[in-house]
């Protein structure tokens, strides 16, 4: 039996303090973006192109009037860049959005995000950190590089499951991999000579990024995360294992871009 007051599992309801907090978080974020020369965009709830960003199993599928496949918007980044380039044909390279995304079966995720065409990841991280400061949040900041795991898999017999389950006993069998798994701070990157050349190249990208940051970070080269489009260095802001924001480098329509999203619902829960 479905009661008249029931909402689907994964749906969001805001009232009283949570509704006020949501409005304040969005207002503060919009002001920061506008002060940093971002244009706002609101993309359609429906999309033909979400498989560029997410796996089919994560999408809520529908059909249009011609019976063509489409989905509810499951991710904003790819749609924003595609629409800016192909439909708006705008010269603006900095865009922000405040809108929900939807995942199968009935999960609603409210996000505040930014995309910077041909941008620098340090610019995105600094702006992301400024938003955390404005919202009086003091998260742990973790930096990783998705290419490092791909290279390690190529050089060893390890697979995705080894990284997902953090099978450290597998790492201990190879000296350079064991040392790689212990990297935590910028001091751990001072001597890269033990690592294979390909790994050194990717660690130097993290090294160069943190030199441009004026806040402390935790480095996690072997952190595993599944993304369809992040293809290089990426980062997470979290408090007590609650993810508040995530961003990284990606490429779409043959253009390099950087972006990040704030997870509004997680921020509200952290502040209540």
């Amino acid at each position: 039996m479905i009661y008249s007051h029931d909402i689907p599992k994964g749906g969001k309801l805001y009232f009283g303090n949570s509704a006020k907090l949501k409005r304040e978080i969005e207002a503060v974020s919009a002001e920061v973006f506008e002060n940093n020369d971002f244009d706002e965009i609101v993309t359609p709830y429906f999309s033909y192109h979400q498989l560029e960003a997410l796996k089919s199993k994560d999408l809520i599928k529908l059909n249009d009037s011609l019976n063509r496949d489409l989905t509810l918007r499951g991710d904003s980044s790819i749609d924003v860049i595609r629409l800016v380039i192909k439909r708006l044909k705008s010269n603006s390279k900095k865009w922000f959005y405040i809108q929900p995304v939807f995942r199968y079966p009935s999960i609603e995720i409210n996000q505040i995000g930014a995309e910077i065409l041909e941008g620098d990841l340090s610019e995105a991280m600094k702006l992301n950190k400024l938003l955390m400061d404005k919202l009086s949040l003091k998260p742990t900041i973790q930096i990783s590089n998705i290419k490092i795991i791909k290279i390690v898999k190529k050089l060893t017999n390890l697979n995705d499951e080894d990284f997902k389950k953090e099978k450290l006993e597998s790492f201990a069998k190879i000296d350079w991999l064991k040392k790689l798994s212990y990297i935590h701070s910028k001091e751990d990157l001072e001597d890269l000579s033990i690592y294979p050349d390909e790994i050194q190249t990717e660690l130097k990208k993290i090294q160069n990024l943190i030199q441009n940051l004026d806040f402390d970070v935790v480095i996690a080269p072997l952190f595993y995360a599944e993304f369809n489009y992040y293809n290089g260095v990426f980062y997470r802001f979290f408090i007590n294992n609650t993810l508040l924001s995530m961003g990284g480098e990606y490429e779409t329509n043959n253009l390099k871009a950087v972006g990040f999203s704030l997870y509004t619902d997680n921020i509200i829960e952290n502040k209540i």
Side-chain angles (χ1 to χ4, degrees):
M1 180 176 180
I2 300 176
Y3 295 101
S4 60
H5 61 270
D6 281 350
I7 59 174
K9 184 178 181 181
K12 299 296 180 183
L13 172 65
Y14 304 92
F15 60 94
N17 192 34
S18 64
K20 181 182 178 182
L21 272 172
K22 183 175 183 293
R23 173 166 43 82
E24 290 175 349
I25 291 165
E26 292 173 349
V28 167
S29 299
E31 182 179 14
V32 168
F33 285 128
E34 289 168 359
N35 288 342
N36 284 273
D37 302 319
F38 279 73
D39 289 316
E40 186 171 7
I41 188 170
V42 180
T43 66
Y45 274 55
F46 304 103
S47 174
Y48 292 109
H49 305 283
Q50 289 292 298
L51 284 172
E52 294 178 46
L54 296 166
K55 292 181 171 60
S56 177
K57 66 180 179 62
D58 295 322
L59 297 170
I60 300 173
K61 301 175 181 66
L62 304 159
N63 296 96
D64 69 8
S65 60
L66 298 177
N67 206 34
R68 294 174 298 188
D69 293 338
L70 77 157
T71 70
L72 282 179
R73 180 180 62 224
D75 179 89
S76 293
S77 299
I78 298 296
D79 271 2
V80 166
I81 298 300
R82 178 179 51 79
L83 290 169
V84 166
I85 294 170
K86 301 290 187 180
R87 191 175 185 91
L88 303 183
K89 297 182 180 178
S90 170
N91 291 323
S92 180
K93 295 184 181 296
K94 300 166 72 174
W95 295 85
F96 80 94
Y97 52 86
I98 300 174
Q99 59 189 31
V101 297
F102 305 92
R103 306 283 172 82
Y104 180 85
S106 58
I107 301 171
E108 178 183 347
I109 305 168
N110 281 282
Q111 292 184 337
I112 301 167
E115 312 299 333
I116 309 173
L117 276 165
E118 300 171 340
D120 182 83
L121 190 57
S122 65
E123 178 186 3
M125 283 195 70
K126 288 175 182 177
L127 187 62
N128 200 160
K129 177 62 164 55
L130 174 61
L131 282 166
M132 294 291 106
D133 292 342
K134 292 283 188 181
L135 296 171
S136 301
L137 295 166
K138 299 185 182 300
T140 298
I141 306 163
Q142 175 187 296
I143 297 180
S144 304
N145 186 335
I146 218 159
K147 286 185 180 177
I148 290 176
I149 287 181
K150 292 180 179 179
I151 294 168
V152 170
K153 288 194 298 182
K154 184 177 73 173
L155 296 177
T156 68
N157 293 322
L158 297 176
N159 56 43
D160 288 342
E161 289 302 313
D162 292 318
F163 293 100
K164 285 180 186 178
K165 297 179 180 178
E166 297 183 347
K167 293 184 177 178
L168 297 180
E169 69 276 8
S170 300
F171 303 160
K173 296 175 184 177
I174 305 171
D175 287 343
W176 63 262
L177 186 54
K178 180 179 179 180
K179 186 175 180 182
L180 187 65
S181 69
Y182 290 146
I183 286 179
H184 184 76
S185 67
K186 63 180 181 180
E187 288 76 22
D188 296 327
L189 297 177
E190 290 176 358
D191 181 9
L192 303 179
S193 59
I194 189 175
Y195 305 110
D197 290 344
E198 291 177 276
I199 300 290
Q200 287 188 41
T201 298
E202 298 306 322
L203 287 173
K204 285 176 183 176
K205 291 178 182 178
I206 297 176
Q207 195 176 48
N208 292 335
L209 175 63
I210 62 179
Q211 286 176 351
N212 295 321
L213 302 177
D214 57 359
F215 47 86
D216 294 331
V217 299
V218 173
I219 303 167
L222 297 179
F223 173 75
Y224 184 90
E226 292 186 83
F227 302 114
N228 275 19
Y229 57 92
Y230 284 159
N231 63 355
V233 179
F234 67 97
Y235 66 86
R236 304 189 307 148
F237 286 14
F238 58 92
I239 293 177
N240 296 328
N241 294 320
T242 298
L243 183 63
L244 303 183
S245 181
M246 182 161 57
E249 304 171 324
Y250 64 96
E251 188 171 322
T252 184
N253 289 279
N254 297 316
L255 286 173
K256 291 184 178 180
V258 297
F260 65 87
S261 292
L262 275 65
Y263 296 93
T264 313
D265 305 312
N266 290 352
I267 293 174
I268 291 171
E269 289 177 11
N270 184 269
K271 294 177 76 68
I272 287 179

